[in-house]
Amino acid sequence: MDVYDEGSDPRQESGGPDGPVPDRPDGSARNASDDPAPSGPGGGREPASADRGAPVTSVAPATPVTPTGEPGAQVTVPPDAYAVPRTGITALSLRYQIAAALALAVVAVASCVHVAMVFLHVAPANTVTKQHGRAIDDWIYPEFEQNWKLFAPNPLQQNIAVQVRAEVRTEDGGHRTTGWYDLSALDGEAIDGNLLPSHTQQNELRRAWDFYLATHDNENRPAGMRGDLSQRYLRSIVGLRLEREHAAGRGEAVDRVQVRSSTTNVQPPRWSNEKVSDKPMYRVLPWWSVPTDAGTGANA
């Protein structure tokens, strides 16, 4: 009998290598097999559904697999897989990027030149305008002319209508004169009810007439170097309008045109005692020959 025996019924305490297993609270002996066995290398507990006597196996980590299914190989990700997609000019090829850059440069230079020309045109006389005044005028007139009539202390109180008639060569060699076409009234009809009228309908004819008056005296003689330019500009506009209105019939052609203006005073309101004439005043220009390439030739 060894030192662990007690009385006549010696009992050896079962336990692990660290010593005997303590008894249960009710006094009965506790065996080491009552404790759950550790599972896996981490010493965690075995799942509750596992059998007590079954061998415990560890689960190996997943092996990287390539798209072809070969184990052990890493998946190769392209360097630009997560790159932000290019937009705008950067999305174009190098050749088109160069072309777009050149186009933008041309637009920027043209815009700067135009702004500079307009500034020099409206600025007071200076050294630059004295030396390059003709080049500035050629750039500005007639399309980009600037004036201050909107801010005049005595704004216009007249309605000015531009009218034209034509001398038509008939098919048998004779001539006939048409009636007066009120071009301003035709423009007014095109603008009336139009939410987005064009610049041509609103200003082309009026600006051409103002340009002519500014470059001619009361006897219709050119006053300056731009007189001939304003005359050709106005003649071209009225020629196109006559062609649009079919002034020349089939087999006929427009040989000459004549332009006049009809000026009528704006009537004062009813509560005003001011009296103004309501009769139109006319300014009739001489007959102008129409060149054969002016767009008012014979109609087929």
Side-chain angles (χ1 to χ4, degrees):
M1 191 178 291
D2 53 27
V3 295
Y4 296 101
D5 295 336
E6 294 182 1
S8 59
D9 187 14
R11 183 179 63 181
Q12 182 179 0
E13 299 288 343
S14 60
D18 295 334
V21 178
D23 294 337
R24 295 188 179 92
D26 57 358
S28 60
R30 180 177 182 182
N31 298 325
S33 59
D34 294 339
D35 294 333
S39 171
R45 293 185 177 274
E46 185 181 1
S49 60
D51 295 337
R52 297 291 184 177
V56 178
T57 58
S58 61
V59 180
T63 304
V65 179
T66 61
T68 57
E70 299 177 358
Q74 298 292 337
V75 177
T76 304
V77 180
D80 57 347
Y82 303 103
V84 179
R86 297 185 299 175
T87 58
I89 297 180
T90 59
L92 302 175
S93 61
L94 179 60
R95 180 176 59 182
Y96 288 103
Q97 288 184 13
I98 295 175
L102 291 176
L104 292 176
V106 171
V107 172
V109 171
S111 301
C112 293
V113 171
H114 179 71
V115 171
M117 289 294 188
V118 173
F119 172 78
L120 293 175
H121 175 69
V122 300
N126 52 68
T127 304
V128 178
T129 56
K130 291 179 180 179
Q131 294 180 354
H132 307 284
R134 184 171 182 179
I136 296 173
D137 290 343
D138 291 342
W139 180 278
I140 295 297
Y141 292 104
E143 287 82 3
F144 308 115
E145 181 185 1
Q146 306 291 317
N147 58 66
W148 300 98
K149 290 183 179 180
L150 178 64
F151 307 100
N154 185 22
L156 295 177
Q157 298 181 359
Q158 297 174 328
N159 290 324
I160 300 176
V162 179
Q163 302 171 352
V164 62
R165 64 178 178 176
E167 185 180 90
V168 180
R169 184 177 69 253
T170 60
E171 190 174 7
D172 57 1
H175 289 83
R176 64 178 180 88
T177 303
T178 66
W180 290 100
Y181 291 86
D182 194 338
L183 303 182
S184 298
L186 294 175
D187 284 348
E189 293 177 0
I191 295 173
D192 189 20
N194 189 351
L195 297 179
L196 298 174
S198 67
H199 174 77
T200 301
Q201 294 170 336
Q202 298 180 81
N203 300 314
E204 181 185 53
L205 184 63
R206 176 182 59 84
R207 298 295 295 275
W209 180 251
D210 290 344
F211 185 28
Y212 180 87
L213 295 181
T215 56
H216 289 75
D217 59 16
N218 293 331
E219 300 297 329
N220 298 319
R221 292 174 298 192
M225 302 179 60
R226 295 183 289 119
D228 182 64
L229 175 62
S230 64
Q231 177 179 323
R232 288 187 284 110
Y233 183 57
L234 180 60
R235 183 182 61 189
S236 175
I237 291 177
V238 299
L240 292 175
R241 299 295 181 88
L242 288 173
E243 183 179 6
R244 186 186 306 171
E245 298 299 322
H246 305 287
R250 182 180 298 274
E252 298 179 338
V254 175
D255 281 347
R256 298 192 304 169
V257 295
Q258 187 178 33
V259 181
R260 75 176 184 181
S261 65
S262 174
T263 304
T264 306
N265 293 320
V266 176
Q267 296 299 311
R270 295 179 179 179
W271 48 262
S272 175
N273 295 325
E274 184 181 1
K275 302 295 182 180
V276 296
S277 174
D278 57 353
K279 295 181 179 180
M281 297 176 292
Y282 297 99
R283 177 173 179 174
V284 183
L285 306 186
W287 285 93
W288 294 333
S289 297
V290 177
T292 55
D293 58 346
T296 57
N299 294 330

